[in-house]
Amino acid sequence: MPAYKAAFLQSCLNAKALAFGNYSLKSGRESPYFFNAGLFLNDASLFHAVQTAYAQSLNAHASAHPDFAFDVLFGPAYKGIPLAAATFGELARLNKAKFGHVGCAFNRKEVKDHGDGGSLVGAPLRGKRVMIIDDVLTAGTAIREAIDIIKAQGGELAGVIVALDRMEKMSTLDGGDESGPRTSAIEQVRREFGVPVLSIVTLDDLIGLLREMGSDEDMERVEEYKRIYGTSS
């Protein structure tokens, strides 16, 4: 596992943004782990690891895929705003030749009718390749809203990056049979829009972390959860 991923996971554990136990999710599923990106702003050391990991992940993908590029890093309101603001600066520090030109933008939840006005703050999107950065992608609703904003502003979607890929098929939401094969929200967005959807870490990385820690019981419970709810793609 790359050092930046290990540092990100360890920082999440230390700040209890990643925890193992028994957790009831909004989907109705009982999960053996919980990832709380809402705690990213509670600890400066954690947030430094977060912004570094986002930037390193984007740089690693760009190194492996030379055609991958974007002009603006877009953070959907609200959680995406500090992620975009911190990460685009870290990208320039990490690889100025590749990312020194990248701008940053975010949307307002309510359109401002005074001052500079409008619903966007930061770099203009028109004619630009835009990368969305957010904490998680669960149902895909928030990401689609961000994509609609980008298109309305004349931008072109370049991709999406989130912190964690749960590698989990989408919930039936109606309490129906969960055993059938289905894709994850990440895979659905990837197929629908034809762009890369990246993550700092995946559920397999969490399992690897537990293996390294010697937490066999937690590892087995997460592996069982993946067997039941893991995506079919």
Side-chain angles (χ1 to χ4, degrees):
M1 182 184 300
Y4 71 87
K5 289 190 177 188
F8 170 75
L9 287 173
Q10 190 59 56
S11 295
C12 287
L13 279 173
N14 292 345
K16 296 183 171 54
L18 173 64
F20 298 94
N22 293 295
Y23 303 93
S24 297
L25 304 182
K26 188 176 180 181
S27 63
R29 295 171 181 170
E30 294 295 321
S31 174
Y33 73 97
F34 188 65
F35 182 70
N36 185 1
L39 297 180
F40 283 175
L41 296 177
N42 285 15
D43 184 278
S45 295
L46 169 61
F47 194 70
H48 182 264
V50 169
Q51 71 182 48
T52 300
Y54 272 114
Q56 290 277 11
S57 298
L58 287 165
N59 190 52
H61 187 78
S63 296
H65 302 84
D67 292 337
F68 172 71
F70 57 93
D71 305 302
V72 179
L73 193 61
F74 180 80
Y78 288 105
K79 289 182 180 178
I81 296 173
L83 299 178
T87 301
F88 98 114
E90 183 66 18
L91 281 168
R93 187 199 66 79
L94 183 65
N95 189 341
K96 188 174 183 178
K98 179 73 175 177
F99 299 111
H101 72 284
V102 169
C104 173
F106 61 88
N107 64 300
R108 295 185 175 103
K109 286 286 189 180
E110 297 180 359
V111 177
K112 187 179 179 184
D113 59 4
H114 60 281
D116 55 359
S119 61
L120 287 181
V121 178
L125 305 186
R126 184 167 300 280
K128 301 296 180 65
R129 298 162 296 182
V130 183
M131 188 79 185
I132 298 173
I133 182 170
D134 213 346
D135 54 354
V136 293
L137 200 168
T138 304
T141 304
I143 292 296
R144 284 180 171 80
E145 290 176 356
I147 292 171
D148 287 343
I149 291 170
I150 290 167
K151 289 182 176 179
Q153 293 292 324
E156 175 190 352
L157 181 66
V160 179
I161 185 168
V162 295
L164 171 66
D165 179 357
R166 294 175 63 92
M167 304 174 67
E168 186 173 326
K169 59 190 174 185
M170 296 181 69
S171 170
T172 60
L173 298 179
D174 58 3
D177 181 18
E178 293 269 30
S179 62
R182 288 189 306 281
T183 60
S184 67
I186 281 182
E187 185 59 31
Q188 193 175 78
V189 170
R190 187 179 288 133
R191 292 179 180 179
E192 182 177 345
F193 297 99
V195 296
V197 182
L198 315 176
S199 64
I200 298 174
V201 292
T202 68
L203 184 61
D204 283 340
D205 292 319
L206 266 61
I207 292 171
L209 173 69
L210 290 169
R211 182 178 293 110
E212 290 179 8
M213 293 170 56
S215 301
D216 294 342
E217 183 177 345
D218 284 332
M219 183 184 73
E220 290 170 3
R221 293 173 65 244
V222 174
E223 287 180 327
E224 177 64 10
Y225 185 85
K226 182 186 175 185
R227 186 190 66 79
I228 297 171
Y229 298 116
T231 178
S232 58
S233 59

